[in-house]
Structure formats: structure tokens, C-alpha cells
Amino acid sequence: KNKKKSPILVVVYPSQTIDSAGRPKIVPRVLAQHHCNPPPSATSMTAWLGSLRKRHVKQYAAMQHDLRELAFMKERSEGYKSSMKQDQERVEEERRKEEKRLEDERIQKEKEEALKERRKSLLEALPDEPAAPGVGIITVALRFGDGRTAQRRFTDDTEIDVLFNWVDALFEMERERVTLTTMNGQTSFSFQ
């Protein structure tokens, strides 16, 4: 006997259950069936679906509520993850800044110590100042931009670098940054 099978229309909804591990799990649940024998018209199908919705209005409202709550939970979870990531990035950025600050301080301290050591050796290497003005002795007078003045005698065969070393050692002005100019301003000297 050949029986012609007619299709069955099934209305299902996602139902949340707890699996054996205690985690929530979504499974399909049958809400209603229509055997489609005879096949329904569009009007009768609409009426049938409308009556299902009215009959299960509380369940439909609960499903809508669950969907909204799920969306809120997802949003909160993503916000939390984003916040955690931003916090980790902020902490990492602060750590990098602190490391850079400490490294800069260490470099600055080493530079200052090296400069102090250099000035000490420059001071020790300065030739003795000639006793009194005379033949072959010149007097160099300095006037700094901050108002300080200085004067020292050198022999006329003293190289210009010795003069820069004197400025660096005694007045703590880096010789590489100092420019010495004659009184008339026509000649300038820089450390080479």
C-alpha cells in the first residue's frame, strides 16, 4: 500500500536547559505541529500561527525577555573583556614609561658623573698660571651671559683647547656648547 505522506509543519523555540556538566545549553523544543492534511491556505496558516502566539503569549514574552537578557549579558561580557584589555594596556604603558624614566635617569646620572670626572681631569691637566704679566704671557678675560666674569693668564703658545678646558672645568659649561667671541665680535672660537 502506497500511502502518500504529507509534510508536517513544526513550530519550535529555543529552550535553555542545563547539561550534565552544569552549563546552560540551548535545545529546540516543539511548541506545536500542523499535519498539513489538507495543506493550509495562506489565510488559515496565518490564523493558526496567530492563535499559537495568543495561546503562548507568556512563553513568547519570556523568550523575548531571555533574548534581551542574553544581549545585555553579551554586551556586559564584551565590555568587561574590553575593560580588562584596556587596563592591561594601561598597566603595560605605565610600566614602559616607568622603565623609560628610570633608564633616562640612569643615563643622565652616568652622563653627569662622566662630566664631573672629565672636569676633574681637565682641571688637573690645566697648566699652571704664569706668575705675572710679561713677555709671552697673555691675559684672557671672560664675561658670561649670566653676568659672571673671570680672568686668567696663559702663555702665548697655549692652544685654544686649553682655554675651552678651563671654561668647562671651572665654570661647568660644556666646552662643546661654548662659543668664545672677541670683544669686538669679529672673531668667534668653538671647541674642535
Side-chain angles (χ1 to χ4, degrees):
K1 296 180 175 183
N2 278 343
K3 250 187 166 179
K4 190 174 180 183
K5 294 186 178 182
S6 35
I8 298 174
L9 176 65
V10 179
V11 178
V12 296
Y13 68 95
S15 176
Q16 186 173 6
T17 61
I18 305 297
D19 66 8
S20 59
R23 294 179 301 234
K25 180 180 175 184
I26 303 294
V27 294
R29 289 283 167 98
V30 175
L31 185 67
Q33 295 182 35
H34 192 293
H35 292 283
C36 299
N37 193 9
S41 65
T43 308
S44 65
M45 180 59 71
T46 305
W48 180 71
L49 289 173
S51 68
L52 271 179
R53 187 168 177 179
K54 286 179 187 173
R55 191 176 330 145
H56 299 286
V57 71
K58 287 182 182 176
Q59 196 169 6
Y60 181 75
M63 285 190 300
Q64 293 298 318
H65 178 266
D66 290 346
L67 287 174
R68 283 192 302 272
E69 285 298 315
L70 188 62
F72 290 147
M73 188 176 95
K74 185 177 179 183
E75 184 179 328
R76 283 190 302 267
S77 176
E78 288 173 359
Y80 177 74
K81 287 177 186 175
S82 172
S83 175
M84 290 296 291
K85 184 178 178 186
Q86 288 173 350
D87 286 348
Q88 288 173 345
E89 289 171 354
R90 180 183 48 79
V91 166
E92 182 63 25
E93 180 67 23
E94 288 174 357
R95 185 189 61 75
R96 278 195 302 268
K97 283 181 180 178
E98 182 64 15
E99 284 177 357
K100 185 176 183 340
R101 184 188 65 79
L102 291 174
E103 180 66 15
D104 290 348
E105 283 180 4
R106 185 188 62 76
I107 290 170
Q108 182 64 26
K109 188 175 181 181
E110 287 175 0
K111 183 180 176 184
E112 288 172 1
E113 287 174 3
L115 203 55
K116 189 176 182 181
E117 202 56 40
R118 181 180 83 174
R119 286 182 177 143
K120 182 180 176 185
S121 65
L122 289 176
L123 193 57
E124 290 170 356
L126 273 178
D128 292 333
E129 186 174 2
V135 178
I137 296 174
I138 56 171
T139 301
V140 176
L142 299 176
R143 183 174 41 204
F144 298 102
D146 60 4
R148 292 183 293 170
T149 59
Q151 186 172 313
R152 189 179 195 281
R153 290 182 295 277
F154 294 93
T155 59
D156 60 359
D157 62 346
T158 303
E159 293 186 17
I160 192 81
D161 288 353
V162 174
L163 186 59
F164 280 101
N165 292 346
W166 171 58
V167 171
D168 194 336
L170 259 80
F171 305 102
E172 297 184 351
M173 301 174 78
E174 290 184 48
R175 60 188 178 185
E176 295 83 6
R177 297 181 181 188
V178 172
T179 301
L180 301 176
T181 308
T182 56
M183 288 289 283
N184 61 11
Q186 291 181 348
T187 309
S188 294
F189 304 95
S190 296
F191 181 77
Q192 299 286 335

